[in-house]
C-alpha cells in the first residue's frame, strides 16, 4: 500500500492519487499524495515549477475517469 507523502496516511488501492517524480542517486523515484494533500502542498511550494498550474501539467490526465477529473 502506498502512503501519502504529506499526511503519511495510506492511500487505498484504486483511490485517485497524484504522483511526483524526483531524481535520487540517478534513479527516478515517485512520491504520491492524496489529491487534497497535493494541492495543500502547492500553497507552500517555493517554486512555481513544483506546482500544477493547468491540466496539461498532469501526465495521464486524459486517462482519469470523468468523476475523478472533477476532484482535481
Amino acid at each position: 500500500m502506498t502512503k501519502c507523502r504529506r499526511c503519511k496516511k495510506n492511500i487505498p488501492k484504486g483511490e485517485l492519487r497524484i504522483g511526483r517524480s524526483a531524481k535520487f542517486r540517478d534513479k527516478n523515484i515517485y512520491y504520491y499524495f492524496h489529491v487534497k494533500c497535493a494541492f495543500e502542498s502547492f500553497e507552500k511550494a517555493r517554486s512555481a515549477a513544483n506546482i500544477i498550474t493547468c491540466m496539461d501539467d498532469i501526465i495521464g490526465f486524459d486517462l482519469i475517469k470523468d468523476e475523478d477529473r472533477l476532484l482535481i
Side-chain angles (χ1 to χ4, degrees), residues 11-64:
I11 302 173
K13 186 175 182 178
E15 184 175 309
L16 182 64
R17 63 187 180 178
I18 293 180
R20 178 170 186 239
S21 67
K23 285 274 188 193
F24 180 74
R25 296 184 182 166
D26 297 327
K27 293 182 183 178
N28 275 335
I29 58 172
Y30 294 90
Y31 300 112
Y32 293 98
F33 301 85
H34 294 104
V35 173
K36 181 181 177 186
C37 291
F39 283 94
E40 287 174 355
S41 71
F42 297 156
E43 294 174 4
K44 296 180 181 178
R46 294 180 187 179
S47 168
N50 293 328
I51 63 172
I52 295 171
T53 57
C54 68
M55 296 310 155
D56 292 336
D57 292 342
I58 303 173
I59 297 170
F61 186 74
D62 57 327
L63 303 173
I64 300 172

